[in-house]
């Protein structure tokens, strides 16, 4: 059977999904049966949730486009701040106030994001179906180490977390979802994701270690698990870390 050829190139961070020899260059892809551009892109390893714009022979197309012999294809990632008005973006509008649901591999990342005030649902026994269901029902972006889940047709918002180091993972999320200006420490419980409430020292002073009672005056309480938060030494470390994330790209 005759094989057909197209030329294709992936831009920017989409190259993270490709093998070395296909990165940052136009390469030839051969096919027998015509498929949709979505299936082609995903067969090469890139989840559709990562893609915002596809140009075929210089014109933007949607995911249903069927590839033709000789097509010249360029695939671009989500540009939160890239203004191209003449073309057809494939992503639904960014979620205004991003909320997340994280997969079972991202427990530490979840705690960091909550510490910075972001709404992240997480359970160490979430299965993929449950994550997708929550994402669609509550309009939450999926954070995952498993790109397979992002290839599901129903999924609209998601991000494949690249790094295995939690500090770098946090920076990836802040960049991708443009969240640096939205960091609000001491606003959310690290354990259960509920918003914290400010609480008067007198009402909890008996529960505090003497040193804390003597030195701290500002306290917050989780209405669900009743955990009490104050700005101790862990807080200073957190501030240093948050500051380091803000310093990037200045
Ligand atoms: Zn709590």
């Amino acid at each position: 059977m005759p094989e057909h050829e197209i030329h294709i190139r992936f831009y920017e961070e989409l190259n993270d999904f490709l093998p070395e020899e296909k990165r940052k260059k136009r390469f030839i892809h051969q096919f027998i049966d015509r498929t949709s551009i979505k299936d082609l892109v995903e067969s090469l390893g890139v989840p559709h949730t990562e893609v915002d714009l596809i140009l075929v022979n210089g014109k933007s197309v949607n995911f249903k486009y069927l590839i033709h012999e000789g097509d010249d294809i360029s695939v671009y990632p989500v540009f939160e701040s890239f203004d191209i008005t003449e073309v057809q973006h494939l992503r639904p509008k960014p979620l205004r106030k991003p909320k997340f649901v994280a997969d079972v591999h991202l427990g530490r990342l979840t705690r960091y994001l909550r510490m910075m005030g972001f709404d992240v649902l997480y359970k160490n026994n979430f299965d993929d179906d449950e994550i997708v269901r929550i994402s669609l029902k509550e309009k939450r972006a999926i954070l995952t180490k498993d790109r397979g889940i992002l290839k599901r047709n129903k999924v609209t918002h998601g991000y494949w977390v690249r790094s295995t180091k939690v500090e770098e993972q946090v920076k990836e999320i802040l960049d991708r979802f443009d969240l640096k200006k939205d960091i609000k420490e001491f606003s959310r419980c690290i354990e259960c994701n509920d918003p914290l409430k400010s609480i008067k020292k007198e009402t909890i002073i008996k529960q505090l270690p003497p040193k804390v009672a003597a030195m701290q005056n500002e306290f917050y309480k989780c209405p669900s698990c009743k955990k009490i938060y104050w700005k101790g030494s862990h807080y200073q470390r957190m501030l240093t870390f948050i500051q380091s994330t803000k310093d990037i790209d200045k």
Side-chain angles (χ1 to χ4, degrees):
M1 213 182 284
E3 286 214 336
H4 303 289
E5 275 185 12
I6 51 125
H7 288 81
I8 185 162
R9 178 178 169 152
F10 290 85
Y11 285 84
E12 305 296 335
E13 63 264 31
L14 297 181
N15 287 283
D16 296 349
F17 296 96
L18 300 178
E20 192 67 45
E21 70 274 11
K22 290 181 173 164
R23 289 186 190 163
K24 297 187 176 177
K25 62 163 86 125
R26 202 158 289 280
F27 59 89
I28 292 172
H29 176 78
Q30 292 176 322
F31 63 100
I32 293 169
D33 296 317
R34 289 178 68 193
T35 61
S36 72
I37 191 92
K38 176 180 180 288
D39 288 345
L40 169 71
V41 163
E42 293 199 325
S43 75
L44 291 166
V46 181
H48 73 279
T49 52
E50 297 276 329
V51 175
D52 184 48
L53 173 67
I54 301 176
L55 300 181
V56 176
N57 308 319
K59 287 197 175 136
S60 57
V61 298
N62 67 29
F63 281 127
K64 290 183 193 146
Y65 174 84
L66 290 175
I67 55 174
H68 292 70
E69 163 73 24
D71 277 348
D72 188 22
I73 302 172
S74 302
V75 187
Y76 296 88
V78 176
F79 298 105
E80 296 294 355
S81 56
F82 187 37
D83 183 27
I84 8 180
T85 46
E86 294 297 300
V87 297
Q88 175 179 14
H89 287 268
L90 297 170
R91 298 285 76 242
K93 279 186 190 154
L95 302 170
R96 278 283 161 80
K97 270 197 175 171
K99 296 184 291 182
F100 304 99
V101 52
D103 82 12
V104 297
H105 305 289
L106 298 173
R108 289 194 69 211
L109 172 64
T110 295
R111 294 172 66 86
Y112 268 75
L113 291 173
R114 287 176 180 168
M115 194 163 79
M116 298 170 137
F118 300 113
D119 181 348
V120 187
L121 286 189
Y122 167 85
K123 274 190 207 149
N124 61 11
N125 60 356
F126 269 158
D127 67 32
D128 287 1
D129 289 339
E130 198 176 3
I131 289 173
V132 171
R133 192 177 50 74
I134 292 170
S135 163
L136 296 174
K137 186 162 165 249
E138 303 187 18
K139 297 196 168 33
R140 290 174 179 273
I142 296 172
L143 302 178
T144 182
K145 288 296 287 174
D146 166 22
R147 63 178 96 168
I149 195 171
L150 299 180
K151 292 182 180 177
R152 296 191 183 194
N153 288 337
K154 281 195 284 184
V155 173
T156 58
H157 292 85
Y159 175 72
W160 179 59
V161 177
R162 271 69 161 172
S163 181
T164 52
K165 295 198 182 108
V166 71
E167 288 86 356
E168 288 172 13
Q169 292 176 340
V170 172
K171 287 168 191 172
E172 284 181 31
I173 307 298
L174 295 178
D175 273 351
R176 164 63 184 265
F177 294 93
D178 198 15
L179 295 177
K180 282 180 196 165
K181 59 190 182 313
D182 300 321
I183 294 171
K184 228 177 132 200
E185 55 271 23
F186 280 88
S187 59
R188 196 169 289 276
C189 180
I190 292 170
E191 307 299 336
C192 41
N193 198 43
D194 281 34
L196 297 178
K197 294 218 159 75
S198 177
I199 184 166
K200 289 211 170 77
K201 188 176 178 178
E202 307 88 82
T203 61
I204 46 148
I205 194 155
K206 286 183 186 149
Q207 303 167 44
L208 299 172
K211 213 173 156 188
V212 173
M215 291 180 67
Q216 304 291 334
N217 290 307
E218 212 179 311
F219 296 92
Y220 304 86
K221 188 175 183 179
C222 172
S224 299
C225 71
K226 315 296 179 201
K227 185 173 171 169
I228 294 164
Y229 291 81
W230 62 86
K231 297 181 175 177
S233 56
H234 59 291
Y235 176 68
Q236 293 308 323
R237 282 198 296 279
M238 182 177 91
L239 280 189
T240 309
F241 172 69
I242 291 174
Q243 197 53 49
S244 77
T245 68
K246 286 178 179 168
D247 285 343
I248 298 171
D249 301 335
K250 260 191 187 162

